[in-house]
Amino acid sequence: LILQGDMKRRANYFGGAGYLEDALYERVSRRLFQKNIRTEEEFSNLVKSAGPKIFLKGQEVLNEVEPALKAYHDTRTTFHDLETVNRSSRTVLDFLAGLRKDLDRLMPGRFPELYETERLRHMVRYLKALAIRAERGIFHLDRDRSRALDVKVCSDRLEDILNNLPDCASDEKRRSIDEFFWMIEEYKVSLFAQELKTPFPVSRKRLEKKIGEIERMV
């Protein structure tokens, strides 16, 4: 996998082209070779069948990752432009610095290895929501703070759950915790960029209900 053009330039956000290419290669390898192989014959057949598919899978992965990479670039550009215009306002700069942390948390360096195809599609929307929030928030900081406090209550509950999660926690509970994390991201969309819409109804009440379900799980 060789990144070119805009993708290669945007890879600099994630440690450079070589670093991102390695993450993409791991994504392709996992898709092709992560199988339940029990015999030498099965392994041999897998290698033979996977070989001709490597290039096509590589292109498939590039097509999956490119929209998220572009959205990340566009959101960072929005932040930079707003920081430049508001460089004399410490309050605005602090607000944007907080959103940058959210941005980096959503798209860490090895994001191609972390997120499946469907999650990457949603990632584009989350990143656009951050840009919209930034553009609106600098003019309505008090309103943003009020809504952000509502989100923080849920995020703090998530952190408490994770900090106290026992090693023996069930797979069902771990999946529900992951679902709760993404519900919070959808909640942010509903609060700060409603026009982007959410794939399912989300509210503070629904988040509280999810927390209760998680806490009752083993």
Side-chain angles (χ1 to χ4, degrees):
L1 284 174
I2 304 297
L3 297 178
Q4 297 178 344
D6 287 339
M7 288 192 74
K8 184 175 182 178
R9 286 188 289 275
R10 291 164 185 166
N12 289 328
Y13 296 131
F14 303 97
Y19 188 83
L20 189 57
E21 285 167 359
D22 286 344
L24 292 170
Y25 176 78
E26 289 298 323
R27 185 180 180 89
V28 172
S29 298
R30 186 172 68 244
R31 189 164 297 180
L32 285 175
F33 298 108
Q34 192 168 313
K35 310 288 183 183
N36 185 19
I37 301 297
R38 296 181 178 275
T39 68
E40 184 176 344
E41 182 180 2
E42 288 176 338
F43 175 77
S44 179
N45 289 336
L46 174 63
V47 172
K48 290 177 183 177
S49 64
K53 299 177 183 176
I54 291 177
F55 176 78
L56 291 177
K57 286 295 180 183
Q59 292 303 307
E60 182 180 288
V61 163
L62 288 175
N63 291 336
E64 291 170 359
V65 168
E66 196 278 334
L69 200 58
K70 182 180 184 302
Y72 182 91
H73 166 77
D74 291 345
T75 300
R76 279 191 63 129
T77 299
T78 297
F79 288 174
H80 177 267
D81 291 346
L82 293 174
E83 287 163 347
T84 300
V85 173
N86 296 278
R87 58 181 175 272
S88 62
S89 172
R90 186 73 260 166
T91 304
V92 170
L93 293 179
D94 287 345
F95 165 67
L96 293 171
L99 295 188
R100 279 189 178 273
K101 289 181 181 178
D102 282 351
L103 179 67
D104 292 338
R105 178 178 54 79
L106 280 171
M107 290 272 284
R110 306 294 287 193
F111 77 90
E113 296 177 65
L114 296 176
Y115 302 138
E116 296 301 327
T117 305
E118 188 63 21
R119 183 56 57 200
L120 280 174
R121 293 196 188 104
H122 290 304
M123 192 63 58
V124 173
R125 194 164 40 85
Y126 302 149
L127 297 173
K128 288 181 179 179
L130 275 174
I132 291 172
R133 180 181 176 185
E135 291 171 333
R136 291 176 179 163
I138 62 171
F139 296 109
H140 305 284
L141 285 171
D142 288 342
R143 184 190 304 171
D144 188 281
R145 286 194 194 99
S146 176
R147 292 175 177 175
L149 284 174
D150 208 28
V151 174
K152 187 176 185 301
V153 171
C154 300
S155 297
D156 286 348
R157 293 289 295 277
L158 173 61
E159 187 174 352
D160 287 342
I161 290 171
L162 290 172
N163 288 339
N164 294 286
L165 187 67
D167 293 338
C168 61
S170 66
D171 290 341
E172 180 188 15
K173 185 167 187 173
R174 294 178 188 279
R175 285 193 297 270
S176 290
I177 292 171
D178 186 64
E179 290 170 5
F180 182 58
F181 174 88
W182 295 113
M183 283 179 70
I184 293 175
E185 292 306 316
E186 294 295 348
Y187 189 42
K188 291 177 185 177
V189 173
S190 75
L191 290 176
F192 301 109
Q194 299 91 336
E195 66 269 39
L196 296 181
K197 304 186 184 308
T198 60
F200 52 82
V202 62
S203 64
R204 175 74 177 274
K205 184 176 180 179
R206 290 175 186 271
L207 286 164
E208 291 289 347
K209 180 181 178 181
K210 187 68 173 180
I211 290 171
E213 293 174 358
I214 292 170
E215 290 177 340
R216 288 190 294 273
M217 291 178 180
V218 178

